[in-house]
Amino acid sequence: MPNLVIVGAQWGDEGKGKIIDMLSEDVDAVVRFQGGNNAGHTVVVKGKKNILHLIPCGILHEGKTCIIGNGVVIDPKALLHEIAELQAGNVEVGENLKISALAPVTFPFHRALDKAKETKLGKEKIDTTHRGIGPTYTDKYGRIGIRIVDLLDENRLRQRLEQNLSEKNYLFENYFSLPAFKIEELLVEYLEFGKQLKPFITDTAFLINQLLAAGKKVLFEGAQGTFLDVDFGTYPFVTASHPIAGGVSIGTGVGPTRIDRVLGIVKAYTTRVGAGPLPTEWEGGGEELRKRGSEFGATTGRPRRCGWFDAIGVRRAQMLNGFDQMALTKLDVLSGIPKLKLCVGYKIDNEIIKDFPVTIDELEKIAPVYEEMDGWEEDIKQIKKFEDLPENAKKYINRIETLVGAKVAVISIGEDRTQTIILEDLFEN
Ligand code: GDP
Ligand code: IMO
Ligand code: MG
């Protein structure tokens, strides 16, 4: 089994970083395929917290090729900062990092647009990370995007900036009442970024396909989560990319027939950062659960909204991503809660439904239908074997498997690499 896709099965922050880091040891390459530096993937190694935003988590392991695919939007300033920070911590970033020539570039005007649009939306805002992600993807699909390879060609970059800013500066000055951007300043700054990034730029689609053809093990690192998908998420409260497994093909140039397996990363409860429906949210946003799980955004530090496990949602994620296996994370956070609830149905206008609805109106009306289970008292953070888990924890895991229709292959019981129980080899047939 040479390759594996890792996807978030909820609203992001499921603990993908930890699982990817753990699996990276066994692979040759780790590839990001969508999103940008809106992502914050935490990897804790011997007590030291590393947060990765654009660079694949595999970078913390020596000798792994880390690839940023064409589906990722790249803010060069943020990327260079991340490279410098890693290098300052003695992590090697050189030949092992490859970035796609075709990836769209995020400029300061994208970040400014992101913020300005949110301000205009007022109470209706999406609560984005303000990293310019939406506007960068908008330009890509509007066919006026500027790609990484354009940073290597002064004439082309100037022409693309002129094309971009003629419209955007009009908007900034006349619609948003903000200052215009100056082409000359951007040109100098971004040509310099291009120079610094040049050694990393390549045809990543070719590279990844070559690795696969040579039988190398490749891990595809999803960012965000299924319900932030621009098509299948809780639209319009979503990100602008495709975090679902289907995003791998278009975000890397690897055909669907070359993708072997998908692992859904599932938090043992539910969190969401930003606005939009969250059917199982505890009253008041779940402060108690937030404290227990230290649920604060890894990118923005914003408090995450928290609630019970939503089996209807995760079953939908299982279908959309086609995963048969799950990594169940943060199970330790539930220790000491006497009664645990699992959402097994949605009540909308007095009718009980068992499937995730598709419209925002329905999603906003959901009253969750819960099943209750007894919790466990014990601290489980140091347990090494499934058999040694408290009986009620085992029952909770088994019930999730039944409700979702996928096996729990990995259980995560702490933030450290070592606090993991592996039940199935993910690379075996
Ligand atoms: P990602 O975006 O999916 O990579 O997740 P984040 O890194 O944004 O958030 C997950 C948080 O939970 C991080 O602070 C991790 O260190 C932490 N974490 C991951 N797995 C576990 C776990 O099993 N137990 C506990 N207590 N913390 C975990
Ligand atoms: P990782 O990879 C959780 C959310 C934002 C906002 C919405 C749109 O760490 O799981 P954007 O800036 O993307 O336009 O914001 O998406 N969001 C995330 N939430 N985890 C993430 O990434 C997220 N990336 C974006 O909070 O609600
Ligand atoms: Mg995160």
Side-chain angles (χ1 to χ4, degrees), residues 5 54 78 83 127 142 145 152 158 192 202 216 223 284 306 327:
V5 180
L54 275 164
I83 293 172
D127 240 349
L152 306 179
R158 182 188 297 278
E192 176 56 29
T202 192
K216 302 288 184 198
C306 300

Side-chain angles (χ1 to χ4, degrees), residues 12-16 38-42 224 297-299 304:
D13 303 326
E14 295 89 350
K16 298 177 292 294
N38 49 351
H41 296 174
T42 314
Q224 288 79 52
T299 295
R304 294 175 184 151

Side-chain angles (χ1 to χ4, degrees), residues 342 371 373-374 376 386 389-402:
L342 294 159
E371 189 176 282
M373 295 183 82
D374 289 330
W376 59 91
F386 181 82
L389 284 170
E391 278 314 305
N392 287 343
K394 289 186 205 163
K395 282 188 191 157
Y396 187 72
I397 295 166
N398 290 336
R399 188 68 187 132
I400 285 177
E401 288 181 324
T402 306

